[in-house]
Amino acid sequence: MLLEGIEDRERLFVLDVGSGSQSTVDFFSQYNARIHFVDLFSNELFVCPPEEIDEESACLSFIEYMGLPAEVTFDICLFWDALHRIDLVVLQGLSRALCPHVDGRTLGYGFGTLYAQTLEHCRYGICDQDHLTVRPVEAQGRFYAHTQQQLSEYFTSLTIQRATLLREGRLELLLCES
Amino acid sequence: MFEKRKDSSAEEPVIGQTGKFHSAPPPVDAFNTRSAAVIGSTIKIKGEVTGAENLVIEGKVEGSIELTGHDLTIGPAGRVIADLTAKTVKVEGQITGDVTGSEKVIITRSGRVLGNIVAPRVTLEDGAKFKGSIDMDPGVEVPAIAVASEHSSSTSKVDVVDEKRTRSSA
């Protein structure tokens, strides 16, 4: 569903909240696409935020760090497990920073948790229309078991359209514009 | 994808951008160093670098680099702060700036790129550090799927031990 109809798009803008995956690059090289890779995990401010951080400062930090051109509106946002690697305040900041870059045709994809206490931190990529590539990352980092309700409350630029329960209490989330 | 051919000519002296003679440094695994000019590891250049031959950078360059129709290799010790254009660009060192490859761009496992890439084919080897965007050059006819690097995943490499495929329902 995430990738349905993308072949009909003249130009695709993709946000990948990760450090870059060859399979994702290969997949989108079939299309007239521009992929923005934003690796939040290489920035301590996001993964270990200071106590005094608030939504506003987190948002400004994201805007500066991501460096997205103002005119870019994403067709696809690949969050993978990032929504659970940052705390709720930082999540709010990310949401606000993304607001100008999403619209009614933007779809998001990520993982959540129903009752799992952790998600293995992996490097993800798109292999084909139906498959992902998954490679565990050595540094696991912190995990935040946000509930679906918390995600809906704090990450408002996109809303959860569909959640599919996977093994071990993990969820696969499809998001669309609020 | 890229045959790492040992090119005997790489051992021969070549003329660098500074006009001095250099021996092509053996550690550089340039993908096409045949008759390539070399900016040696002690050389620093500020300004505009243009040329009509292949180039290997082991030193530091600040400014801009344009090698239309030729190959550019940033060696492991190479440090570039510049926007650069070439036919193929291989990054083993560090670049801060935008990279345009009319044919392809390769970021090796030791490569670091902070900037945007425009190319019809891009290879990110496992371990490569990249922050920016990759634009699959709309002006170029793109092959069906770019060939993956030996460390990357593709449909033919799903059995790689440390990597697994998972079915997505979204």
Side-chain angles (χ1 to χ4, degrees):
Chain A
M1 191 169 173
L2 176 75
L3 302 171
E4 271 176 15
I6 62 170
E7 58 276 7
D8 300 330
R9 305 272 177 90
E10 279 186 16
R11 184 93 164 117
L12 270 178
F13 289 94
V14 180
L15 173 69
D16 186 319
V17 184
S19 56
S21 148
Q22 180 66 52
S23 57
T24 301
V25 173
D26 286 345
F27 178 78
F28 285 109
S29 72
Q30 303 171 80
Y31 307 100
N32 183 352
R34 182 170 186 171
I35 314 170
H36 291 261
F37 287 103
V38 177
D39 184 6
L40 303 185
F41 310 112
S42 63
N43 191 319
E44 283 292 304
L45 181 67
F46 304 128
V47 291
C48 296
E51 281 185 13
E52 63 273 16
I53 197 167
D54 58 17
E55 181 191 347
E56 177 73 17
S57 58
C59 172
L60 292 173
S61 299
F62 273 118
I63 290 170
E64 184 184 357
Y65 182 69
M66 294 193 293
L68 300 174
E71 71 279 7
V72 165
T73 303
F74 292 111
D75 299 283
I76 295 170
C77 295
L78 302 168
F79 297 107
W80 308 121
D81 60 0
L83 303 182
H84 289 275
R85 299 287 168 194
I86 52 181
D87 76 13
L88 288 171
V89 174
V90 178
L91 188 65
Q92 267 184 317
L94 173 63
S95 178
R96 265 183 64 182
L98 284 180
C99 268
H101 303 287
V102 300
D103 66 11
R105 67 177 186 171
T106 305
L107 290 175
Y109 180 81
F111 299 112
T113 173
L114 187 63
Y115 53 79
Q117 288 308 300
T118 189
L119 289 173
E120 187 180 18
H121 187 25
C122 295
R123 178 180 288 193
Y124 298 93
I126 295 179
C127 186
D128 58 38
Q129 291 263 355
D130 296 318
H131 295 91
L132 305 176
T133 56
V134 183
R135 178 176 294 193
V137 174
E138 232 172 72
Q140 283 297 304
R142 191 160 174 190
F143 174 80
Y144 298 88
H146 307 315
T147 63
Q148 200 167 318
Q149 187 181 348
Q150 285 174 318
L151 285 182
S152 301
E153 195 176 328
Y154 287 86
F155 192 78
T156 52
S157 55
L158 295 171
T159 56
I160 298 169
Q161 184 184 47
R162 197 173 78 180
T164 306
L165 184 59
L166 306 175
R167 284 188 307 171
E168 297 162 353
R170 292 180 301 123
L171 292 170
E172 190 179 47
L173 305 173
L174 182 69
L175 303 103
C176 63
E177 197 201 24
S178 305
Chain B
M1 167 171 196
F2 295 99
E3 294 179 17
K4 293 179 178 175
R5 288 183 299 181
K6 290 214 168 184
D7 187 353
S8 57
S9 65
E11 302 296 328
E12 296 170 2
V14 292
I15 299 174
Q17 294 293 92
T18 58
K20 292 180 181 176
F21 283 90
H22 301 270
S23 290
V28 176
D29 182 22
F31 59 111
N32 189 355
T33 54
R34 191 191 305 273
S35 302
V38 177
I39 295 176
S41 59
T42 62
I43 306 296
K44 294 179 183 177
I45 296 176
K46 281 191 178 181
E48 190 178 312
V49 177
T50 61
E53 61 183 303
N54 300 332
L55 176 65
V56 176
I57 298 175
E58 280 291 328
K60 294 180 180 173
V61 177
E62 279 186 48
S64 66
I65 303 169
E66 188 161 346
L67 298 175
T68 309
H70 295 274
D71 300 337
L72 172 64
T73 299
I74 314 300
R79 302 289 180 267
V80 172
I81 302 175
D83 293 338
L84 52 93
T85 302
K87 184 176 78 175
T88 58
V89 180
K90 185 174 184 179
V91 185
E92 297 171 322
Q94 295 181 13
I95 297 178
T96 301
D98 293 341
V99 179
T100 302
S102 59
E103 195 171 278
K104 61 195 166 196
V105 172
I106 306 157
I107 308 177
T108 67
R109 60 179 59 205
S110 62
R112 305 282 181 269
V113 175
L114 182 60
N116 302 314
I117 296 173
V118 179
R121 291 169 60 187
V122 176
T123 297
L124 296 175
E125 289 187 359
D126 195 19
K129 298 280 186 190
F130 169 67
K131 181 173 176 287
S133 68
I134 294 177
D135 199 328
M136 309 300 181
D137 191 1
V140 178
E141 192 174 326
V142 178
I145 291 184
V147 180
S149 74
E150 59 185 325
H151 300 291
S152 66
S153 54
S154 69
T155 50
S156 62
K157 293 208 172 185
V158 293
D159 295 329
V160 173
V161 174
D162 63 345
E163 187 161 40
K164 60 190 177 187
R165 292 170 81 190
T166 182
R167 190 167 182 83
S168 162
S169 62

